Amino acid sequence: MTGWELAAICAAGMVAGAINAVVGSGSLITFPTLLALGIDPVTANVSNTIGLVPGSFTAAYGYRVELTGQRDRLVRLGAASALGALIGGILLLFLDPDVFQVVVVALIAVACVLVMVQPRLGAWVAARRDDPHPQGGMALWLGVLGAGVYGGYFGAAQGVLLIGLLGIFLDDGLQRVNAAKNVLALLVNGVAAVLFVLVADVDWTAVAGVALGAVVGGFFGARLGRRIPAPILRAVIVLVGIVAIISLLYG
């Protein structure tokens, strides 16, 4: 790999880290970049997931103020994310990569709709919930499990899925929801990365390039994301989701 190619990967990682901190879908930047440089699709997916872990950490750290008081919630939902990531990672290693193509597009579309209607739908769910649950109840746990499976399998736009789910089932502000999303995405990427390191083919040069860029992007993305008003952040999330759908359909 040439120095220019490594620089391109670092730049893509920086953009992806920032996007992941604010919304999610950073893999739609780094994954195609790795493919364009001639890396095998599965190896590119695996290397991309591993490389984005440090960026996920800096993004979660950047939202540490918004994470205050969410420990019990994240322990419960984190178990679902970790289990889902393990299942998704195994599916990536053993299933045809095209199996989930239609399902993935449908999931992102649903997530975008959920984000758009989240304030009203969340109020409707809360009004009909007999026993309010600060962690979102079993429905959210299963939803996060499913998002973890998707994240371990591919990962692009898992942040959009998570924000849609968390925003509906949790009675909390969008910035705190985004903070929780960053932690859950970190767990998904981390668990999947450990699995891939143990059993998959990894391009460590690509991993290093993505990781270096993602650390910087995740830090500055978190600083920017925390300052975005909720209505604008909601619009950004939907826009990124639409771009993700177009990229998956026509990329």
Side-chain angles (χ1 to χ4, degrees), residues 33-241:
T33 300
L34 298 181
L35 290 181
L37 295 176
I39 300 175
D40 171 80
V42 174
T43 302
N45 195 10
V46 165
S47 303
N48 178 62
T49 297
I50 298 172
L52 288 176
V53 171
S56 297
F57 177 81
T58 56
Y61 180 77
Y63 272 88
R64 60 192 180 279
V65 174
E66 286 77 12
L67 289 171
T68 303
Q70 298 200 62
R71 179 177 179 178
D72 291 344
R73 169 189 296 170
L74 290 173
V75 168
R76 186 173 187 274
L77 296 178
S81 287
L83 178 59
L86 183 60
I87 296 171
I90 292 173
L91 290 176
L92 173 66
L93 298 176
F94 291 101
L95 292 182
D96 184 333
D98 295 329
V99 169
F100 280 46
Q101 181 72 22
V102 176
V103 176
V104 164
V105 172
L107 285 174
I108 297 173
V110 170
C112 288
V113 173
L114 291 179
V115 170
M116 287 189 291
V117 303
Q118 181 264 319
R120 292 188 177 184
L121 185 56
W124 183 86
V125 171
R128 286 155 179 77
R129 189 182 296 142
D130 295 331
D131 183 19
H133 200 298
Q135 282 80 43
M138 182 54 66
L140 178 58
W141 195 93
L142 292 174
V144 171
L145 173 67
V149 172
Y150 168 59
Y153 185 84
F154 180 48
Q158 70 166 313
V160 177
L161 294 174
L162 283 170
I163 289 177
L165 288 167
L166 297 173
I168 294 300
F169 289 98
L170 297 179
D171 183 18
D172 218 334
L174 189 57
Q175 290 290 2
R176 282 174 56 82
V177 164
N178 198 33
K181 175 269 293 179
N182 283 335
V183 173
L184 297 179
L186 170 61
L187 287 171
V188 171
N189 289 339
V191 170
V194 170
L195 174 65
F196 296 153
V197 167
L198 293 175
V199 301
D201 292 327
V202 180
D203 186 323
W204 288 106
T205 303
V207 168
V210 172
L212 181 61
V215 166
V216 177
F219 176 78
F220 287 103
R223 296 188 67 176
L224 172 64
R226 294 178 64 233
R227 291 169 171 78
I228 299 178
I232 297 178
L233 180 57
R234 201 180 310 280
V236 171
I237 292 168
V238 173
L239 178 61
V240 170

Side-chain angles (χ1 to χ4, degrees), residues 1-2 4-6 8-9 31-39:
M1 184 176 293
T2 68
W4 286 110
E5 289 174 336
L6 183 58
I9 294 175
F31 181 65
T33 300
L34 298 181
L35 290 181
L37 295 176
I39 300 175

